[in-house]
Amino acid sequence: MADPARAARLAQRVKVLVAETIERRIKDPRVENLTVTDARVTNDLQHATVYYTVWGDDEAKAEAAKGLEKAKGFLRTEVGKNLNIRLTPTLEFVPDEVPVNAEHLESLIRDAKARDAELAAQSEGAHYAGEENPYKEKRQETESE
């Protein structure tokens, strides 16, 4: 069992190697708009998960996944040549959902701000039904007695 710090360093190295190999050595047009965003390696250094994003629509994302699957063996060979470890980790490619989740959160925040502005506009010029702070008045009356 390797220590987690070594696995993290190896993951960073795998990320860089895969990104450079895709950019320089793979001529498949399906992976041209692909960006490697992160990599994780298990503590036993046997499996690496590489996260990526693709610029484009759903069809471009599906084509990029097919291109990565086709190039997986070549990428693993290149990673193995450049890492100084006994066994080369297997590679698994997973689309990164962080940009999609971030866009969803941004839209929720925009909606909340719009509702807050609408509520502020409705409450402008409104008055309390009773006194502004009825509890303060009652507390002062009991203290004076």
Side-chain angles (χ1 to χ4, degrees):
M1 207 40 106
D3 87 271
R6 182 174 183 212
R9 287 192 311 269
L10 188 66
Q12 184 64 25
R13 185 73 180 130
V14 166
K15 173 183 156 185
V16 170
L17 288 172
V18 168
E20 287 178 352
T21 303
I22 288 172
E23 182 182 346
R24 295 184 179 141
R25 307 272 320 266
I26 295 183
K27 303 300 181 200
D28 192 345
R30 297 179 290 186
V31 296
E32 285 179 354
N33 295 328
L34 183 131
T35 303
V36 177
T37 57
D38 196 14
R40 304 262 167 83
V41 176
T42 58
N43 284 345
D44 62 358
L45 308 179
Q46 297 298 308
H47 306 286
T49 304
V50 179
Y51 297 92
Y52 66 93
T53 59
V54 179
W55 183 260
D57 58 356
D58 290 335
E59 183 180 332
K61 292 175 184 178
E63 289 297 317
K66 289 177 188 175
L68 280 176
E69 197 61 36
K70 182 180 177 194
K72 185 186 285 190
F74 179 72
L75 289 168
R76 185 171 182 224
T77 301
E78 290 298 311
V79 167
K81 286 179 185 177
N82 292 295
L83 293 179
N84 294 324
I85 58 174
R86 187 170 59 96
L87 298 171
T88 303
T90 60
L91 297 178
E92 178 186 3
F93 294 98
V94 177
D96 196 356
E97 296 298 325
V98 170
V100 175
N101 293 340
E103 178 59 35
H104 178 67
L105 285 175
E106 292 276 334
S107 69
L108 291 175
I109 290 171
R110 276 193 303 273
D111 292 345
K113 284 183 178 180
R115 277 188 255 133
D116 286 348
E118 182 181 320
L119 183 62
Q122 287 176 353
S123 66
E124 191 170 309
H127 301 286
Y128 290 102
E131 298 173 17
E132 193 169 318
N133 191 354
Y135 299 107
K136 188 173 184 181
E137 298 293 325
K138 290 180 182 177
R139 189 178 311 134
Q140 288 176 353
E141 289 172 8
T142 58
E143 289 175 3
S144 63
E145 292 176 5

